């Protein structure tokens, strides 16, 4: 259920209405859909009726959303959500290219990669300090030490930091360092984690699960929004299919469909999506043209020495070329809108 | 790496050896493989060499395991693992039928189901207090209140309690009530959770993820074992495929293959595996004949009124027939071994 | 659309009705559903109305079938279809175990396998003369020469012959030799082939396609029936999923579901279904208990020398044990019905 | 096995060499890889050794191909294959947009669509006369009548005709009318059909099977080439996955990978690939940027009245916009090569 407010509604009137909603035990999610103010109502306890809401003079209309995913749908908010962090925008025409190593290995390496990212126009540094590894015997990340190195690298080069959170108990510590929380594919339906991230104040980059349908994916995003955090970035990173020539199968259909169904920004991670260095560039560019708002890639000075995922990691040279082509592709995409 | 001990090794000698291993920063997992005593060594830091181990007189041999999953493999331990809880055995010829509702709805319902389970020879009560739900708007479970009702029901009828844990923060509270921790399919690769459960003292029922390969599944079990908990029960509950006529696709091949590759017990959950009440019986019996050591099913007095998963839930009548047929099937399976 | 006939209908009256139907350009498929006589009407041209049919005194009722698959559905015919060939029955409690090599390699080998099959109670010999091979460079089969050897082997040991047809142009020649046509998984939706087989007089064993849904599978069977051939045997042989530890994933859910939806007999081919010799026995027995009416397996004197599919082929010793266990399983399955 | 010829080799010398190869029972496939002349040798009978070939003075080298797919691999021929038909090129920078209805419904409709296609720069008309339909009760196409209408439409507007062949028996009649044979996804492994098409003289557009791996796909193309027809156009049209929000999942990874592995041209059919009209444009453009050499789409004056596949069919208006954008995308793709 959501409320469409009258244009004339004042700050005080809206505050009063939200207070009323909260007193009935519901959450109130205020958003701006283009020039239209709306309030999404979270929860469905009795004691909050359409009628009681309509008694407020500023309420233009009270509407239901037919879809299972509600507040992430275009039905609730038609206008694209643009997430702004320290002056950079995700979901607009700005270049969004999150790059960095799979794992932070040491201070020097993350600082060097940060420099390369910045010099080529990147604004986001990605890297894992807490790593979800299939085997208990593989490198599990540097933990807080890694977070510190990464924060330092981001501060030196004025980059935004993106790093993964795997455990509700780590949210507090990671929040001290990062600009964007990343939720990995294997945790896409870790509902406890999603709920807690819904209560934080920082954007969440949510990766699609290996076998998550588009509906599952949107429902997972809905969890975060329903618990109060409107800033969710979706990330397509390939689904698991019978095809074994590539690590995963990037769902380009899904990207185009998500742009129809949700107002949230979407980025493509073709490193995990393909698992093969030479495919990262064509698949990234193709997916951006099909609708993705940006990309995430793995970069390493010497991929063959990376502690994890070397096969899918770009060299600095490959990354520099991708940056150029991605900028051109974003411009070309804009130009097509005028046809 | 693991050690095969000489038959003559005394308790004190073994203790001394384990102390030495731990002092080098490794874990030591003592097991009995038939009549052979072994010690699995967890971790791979330097400072612990084959040579240093062989200096202990009770060490017969020091061996490597070629597989990525080590301590769950038949290579490490050939004999079937039998998990004994309060006198009941999982992984032997005992009837293992874990039954109960998807969600605990109230005290009365869980007590009534417990009675039916017990009267028909069941020894395990399953039910969810913390529920992983695809939608944030669906019933999320009764929480600790549900745990209390379930414990009470189990105590009245002398049943073993199986309930799901979704969050590392809930382990402590759930451990107070349950006999067996359940890890749901969506958390199969929640490695933080697996590690923490590895440190507990109660058996863990690990459900296969929707898109987990057999290798992924065994690696997830390996996490729990590698952190110290040897009592893992695998649960096949269907994988996600293109087939839409059933909710999931039960992987009977996987069951037969797991029996070859691992010594851990395996049960089949055909309720989630099929999503269709009428298929639960044939698929359960077929999978048990193919190798499963037991089964898990959803039962409700009135499935159409269940708060979740009614379509796949057995009525009391259907459950009673399944109990009889499952007992016969286990006997028949034993009789085939003599052919 | 189909007609339920009055019990009193005489042969001549039925003939007259069928003549009328055919004159309107429709096919008429006469079946016996338990003790009820029915006529299925194929095609949907104008000029044949319910009313015109009801004018015939022997017509009890004219009904529509709601499902897309019509004449293969339980809605049309509730009673199990039993296919009888030279005194053997498929779809009853008779042991159905179709065994033989993947490819017929020479005269001696097929005669020797025929002997083993017969001595252990088998009644069907399978083997490929025309082979569908993924690579144009692999052995493509002996062609008609292979058919001759196989017919000879079947005649010596009084076995029924099952062999694959891949091309509409080969139907005539194969029909001269075989007792049962086999349609391979890769041709399940070769609709030209299905139509032509619908016009033949011999039973058709239809293998499920690697990515065929249960609905696709039944629609393919419907093609054969709709063109006039009521004797279709369905064969589950595994579907293609993300799992790579086994060649395919046997869909035990699908077997149980097919028994609900269709009156046609179903057999399990666990050789192709698993791709692994050691899994053939447990998966075959499990699927038969779950509903399959019989099994197909690959057998070879020396699997490691087989010209194709050696890894999934049973030795003579393994085959002999499987025969015994399969007989016991069929008896056990019958005994469960009395519970 | 293949031969690299010396630059100096004359027509007569090559002829003599090919005659020798054929006399040993092998096929000889002459190609030009850039400026290098090669001869691929089909078959692997004894009697043709490296040594015997090297005795010919024009033979520079005799090489083996390590891959299972040989003559379609970049290893055999590094340069892109460009297929030229009546002055139009597939596999170069020319616009390749094959458009038309799913089924040819009547003469007027196909002529009207032909006009629209031509007016907007299209050079290829696609349409089905023989239709593979999942249900025997659905419209099966007009047959030869449809071929005649389509040929007429192509002749009026100077378009190239693309139409499906489903049965070896129909090749001869279809060859009279069409410019390009189309093999549908369900027949991708109809090896009899592939072999016969390998013996024809017209290009073959081969659609990827619903569950075909990239390797399966290339092996199917290899069949056609190995039987003598070098002009194969690959068509990605979506694979079957668990995702149900779209009809199929377009494998953009596969397109990028195919461009690495094979010299054959590849086109994208996003109509079947997505099953949803609104996704056809973004997915087509994205796949072309990722590597596809062209596209195939379904177009109909009034998609909601189409006899088949209306949901995925473009209106004339949508088609006209797609044409413009596709041209721009091809130019943009070329421009990226200069970066």
């Amino acid at each position: 259920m959501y409320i469409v407010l009258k244009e004339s509604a004042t700050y005080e009137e809206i505050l009063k209405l939200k207070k009323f909603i909260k007193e009935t035990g519901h959450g109130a999610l205020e958003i701006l859909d283009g020039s239209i103010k709306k309030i999404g109502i979270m929860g469905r306890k009795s004691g909050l009726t359409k009628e009681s809401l309509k008694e407020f003079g500023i309420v233009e209309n009270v509407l239901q959303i037919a879809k299972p995913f509600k507040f992430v749908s275009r039905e609730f908010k038609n206008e694209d959500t643009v997430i702004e962090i320290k002056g950079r925008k995700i979901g607009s025409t700005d270049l969004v290219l999150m790059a960095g190593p799979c794992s932070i290995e040491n201070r020097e390496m993350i600082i060097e990669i940060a420099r390369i990212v910045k010099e080529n126009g990147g604004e986001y540094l990605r890297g894992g300090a807490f790593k979800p590894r299939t085997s208990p015997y593989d490198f599990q990340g540097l933990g807080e030490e890694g977070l510190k190195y990464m924060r330092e690298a981001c501060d030196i080069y004025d980059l935004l930091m993106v790093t993964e959170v795997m455990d509700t108990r780590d949210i507090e510590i990671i929040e001290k360092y990062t600009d964007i929380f990343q939720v990995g594919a294997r945790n896409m339906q870790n509902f406890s984690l999603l709920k807690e991230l819904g209560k934080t104040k920082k954007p969440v980059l949510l990766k699609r699960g290996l076998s998550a349908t588009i509906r599952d994916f949107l429902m997972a995003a809905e969890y975060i929004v329903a618990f109060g955090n409107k800033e969710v970035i979706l990330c397509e990173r390939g689904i698991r299919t019978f095809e074994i020539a590539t690590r995963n199968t990037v769902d380009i259909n899904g990207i185009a469909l998500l742009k129809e169904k949700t107002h949230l920004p979407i980025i493509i991670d073709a490193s995990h999506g393909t698992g093969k260095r030479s495919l990262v560039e064509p698949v990234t560019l193709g997916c951006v043209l099909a609708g993705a708002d940006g990309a995430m890639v793995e970069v390493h000075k010497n991929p063959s020495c990376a502690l994890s995922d070397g096969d899918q990691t770009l060299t600095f040279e490959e990354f520099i070329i991708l940056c150029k082509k991605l900028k051109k592709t974003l411009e070309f995409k804009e130009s097509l809108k005028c046809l």
Side-chain angles (χ1 to χ4, degrees), chain A:
Chain A
M1 199 157 70
Y2 70 96
I3 295 163
V4 181
L5 295 172
K6 289 185 182 155
E7 218 179 321
S8 59
T10 65
Y11 179 73
E12 284 73 24
E13 286 171 318
I14 295 175
L15 222 63
K16 210 175 133 192
L17 174 57
K18 283 168 68 176
K19 190 161 166 283
F20 168 75
I21 294 168
K22 284 174 188 171
E23 281 169 1
T24 62
H26 293 80
L29 187 84
E30 197 179 339
I31 61 132
L32 196 64
D33 184 13
S35 61
I36 304 163
K37 283 180 203 143
K38 296 177 176 177
I39 296 177
I41 295 170
M42 248 71 76
R44 37 181 182 184
K45 294 172 187 153
S46 59
L48 186 67
T49 60
K50 268 195 177 191
E51 290 65 36
S52 64
L53 289 167
K54 282 187 173 166
E55 278 172 22
F56 285 74
I58 57 167
V59 171
E60 174 83 37
N61 212 343
V62 183
L63 295 162
Q64 296 288 343
I65 305 168
K67 298 202 171 50
F69 42 92
K70 301 190 182 304
F71 300 117
V72 303
S73 74
R74 291 260 184 212
E75 202 175 331
F76 173 56
K77 176 169 184 281
N78 188 51
E79 199 189 43
D80 283 351
T81 286
V82 177
I83 296 172
E84 197 171 335
I85 317 166
K86 299 181 181 169
R88 282 75 142 213
K89 289 177 181 169
I90 302 174
S92 74
T93 56
D94 283 11
L95 175 71
V96 176
L97 181 54
M98 302 178 178
C102 181
S103 309
I104 305 161
E105 293 164 19
N106 57 58
R107 186 175 167 274
E108 288 62 39
M109 75 90 80
I110 194 72
I111 291 179
E112 182 172 13
I113 295 178
R115 181 177 58 80
I116 296 295
V117 168
K118 187 66 179 192
E119 284 177 3
N120 291 285
E123 301 283 350
Y124 303 80
L125 186 66
R126 58 147 288 159
F130 297 89
K131 296 298 306 170
R133 301 305 301 272
T134 308
S135 166
Y137 309 118
D138 287 340
F139 176 57
Q140 308 272 321
L142 292 180
E144 189 173 1
E145 194 189 345
L147 297 176
K148 281 181 190 162
Y149 298 151
M150 202 175 166
R151 184 69 262 166
E152 188 187 347
C154 286
D155 287 345
I156 295 175
Y157 293 105
D158 186 28
L159 294 170
L160 297 178
M161 174 171 163
V162 187
T163 200
E164 180 162 354
V165 57
M166 292 168 60
D167 191 325
T168 50
R169 298 173 305 178
D170 299 332
I171 292 178
E172 205 179 326
I173 183 88
I174 294 175
E175 195 168 16
K176 282 189 207 161
Y177 296 95
T178 201
D179 295 297
I180 300 175
F181 286 109
Q182 178 177 318
V183 176
R186 286 171 184 75
N187 277 314
M188 193 203 81
Q189 291 190 315
N190 181 337
F191 300 117
S192 295
L193 187 63
L194 301 179
K195 285 179 190 175
E196 290 303 316
L197 290 170
K199 297 173 192 163
T200 66
K201 301 280 180 213
K202 291 192 170 166
V204 178
L205 186 147
L206 179 68
K207 289 200 159 189
R208 182 175 179 185
L210 273 76
S211 64
T213 61
I214 292 294
R215 187 183 177 284
D216 289 340
F217 194 15
L218 288 172
M219 292 309 290
E222 184 80 10
Y223 257 94
I224 301 170
V225 176
F227 278 78
N229 189 344
K230 287 177 283 186
E231 302 196 311
V232 178
I233 304 148
L234 302 174
C235 179
E236 164 67 30
R237 44 80 71 214
I239 56 174
R240 189 164 266 183
T241 70
F242 63 81
E243 180 59 71
I244 49 172
T246 49
R247 181 172 174 181
N248 293 294
T249 299
V250 165
D251 184 8
I252 186 174
N253 289 2
I255 291 173
L257 188 65
L258 283 168
K259 290 309 288 181
E260 280 185 20
K261 291 194 177 292
T262 184
H263 51 84
L264 296 173
I266 300 149
I267 67 168
I268 168 71
D269 172 356
S271 294
H272 286 88
T274 67
K276 203 161 179 281
R277 185 177 309 129
S278 62
L279 305 184
V280 171
E281 182 196 295
V283 172
T284 297
L285 300 183
C287 287
V288 165
L289 189 57
D293 298 292
M296 174 176 264
V297 290
E298 292 190 348
V299 185
H300 195 281
K301 189 178 185 176
N302 192 343
S304 61
C305 300
L307 289 186
S308 46
D309 285 343
D311 287 349
Q312 67 193 35
T313 300
L314 299 183
T315 61
F316 287 172
E317 292 66 33
E318 290 163 333
F319 171 69
I320 292 169
I321 296 171
L322 177 62
C323 285
K324 285 185 199 162
K325 292 192 177 176
L326 184 53
K327 277 177 219 168
K328 294 277 181 202
T329 302
L330 286 164
E331 289 165 20
F332 173 66
K333 192 177 168 186
E334 275 304 295
S335 76
L336 282 186
K337 290 186 185 160
C338 311
L339 272 189

